[in-house]
Amino acid sequence: MDNPARNIVLVPSPDRRQSETALAIARGTARLLRSLGFSCLSELPLPSGRRADLVALNERGEIWIVEIKSSVEDLRADRKWHEYRAHCDRLFFAFTQDLPCEIFPEGTGLIIADAYGAHMQCEAPEHKIAAATRKQMTVRFGMAAALRINRLVDPQGHAEFWE
């Protein structure tokens, strides 16, 4: 029987587009989110076809998305960030202390990060997502996390997901 889930690449191969700065921001931000009780996945494909830099899920089922920006140019070139709001309860931008908070859109949370940690500069307003979207995102999160673990444990046994 054909399973449509096998046709969806939940965990793409690393695209290596992230700069060292972006990787450092992601690491520090993930540490902050873990300290707040969230589990994080990076580069999670969304139902819309976009890919979120960080998606965080806590035991209450809250879903946060963090968009990482490593420069002013990175923010100016981004025309897709507003689409992430439909897939999360709170939307944040994470960036280095070298960028001014004023350049980021209103109505989003701000996280200042480096490779070793982060702090919440500004809380994101809550906008609860619909139950169906929450379920879809939670299942997507769980599937991607399990596939990533399985790939580490048995890379050859899951080759069909990576071709």
Side-chain angles (χ1 to χ4, degrees), residues 5 13 48 55 75 102 104:
S13 301
S48 66
V55 177
L75 178 63
E102 298 76 32
F104 291 93

Side-chain angles (χ1 to χ4, degrees), residues 43 56 80 84 109 143:
E43 299 297 321
K80 65 191 180 326
Y84 298 156
M143 290 288 296

Side-chain angles (χ1 to χ4, degrees), residues 126-143:
E126 185 176 57
H127 50 273
K128 292 280 188 188
I129 54 177
T133 303
R134 184 175 314 287
K135 179 180 178 185
Q136 185 179 38
M137 286 296 294
T138 303
V139 168
R140 187 169 284 263
F141 188 97
M143 290 288 296

Side-chain angles (χ1 to χ4, degrees), residues 57-154:
L57 175 69
N58 70 12
E59 64 184 17
R60 292 185 306 275
E62 293 175 310
I63 298 169
W64 293 4
I65 291 180
V66 180
E67 180 66 4
I68 295 169
K69 294 298 164 205
S70 57
S71 67
V72 174
E73 295 76 22
D74 186 14
L75 178 63
R76 286 184 183 147
D78 187 352
R79 299 285 181 237
K80 65 191 180 326
W81 68 265
H82 63 279
E83 295 176 33
Y84 298 156
R85 195 178 298 272
H87 304 290
C88 63
D89 296 306
R90 295 179 193 260
L91 179 63
F92 293 85
F93 283 95
F95 52 97
T96 67
Q97 65 182 0
D98 299 331
L99 297 179
C101 294
E102 298 76 32
I103 67 171
F104 291 93
E106 288 186 34
T108 60
L110 302 178
I111 297 171
I112 298 177
D114 62 22
Y116 304 101
H119 74 274
M120 187 106 34
Q121 181 72 20
C122 177
E123 277 280 344
E126 185 176 57
H127 50 273
K128 292 280 188 188
I129 54 177
T133 303
R134 184 175 314 287
K135 179 180 178 185
Q136 185 179 38
M137 286 296 294
T138 303
V139 168
R140 187 169 284 263
F141 188 97
M143 290 288 296
L147 287 171
R148 290 179 188 188
I149 291 169
N150 289 333
R151 184 176 184 206
L152 290 172
V153 173
D154 182 13

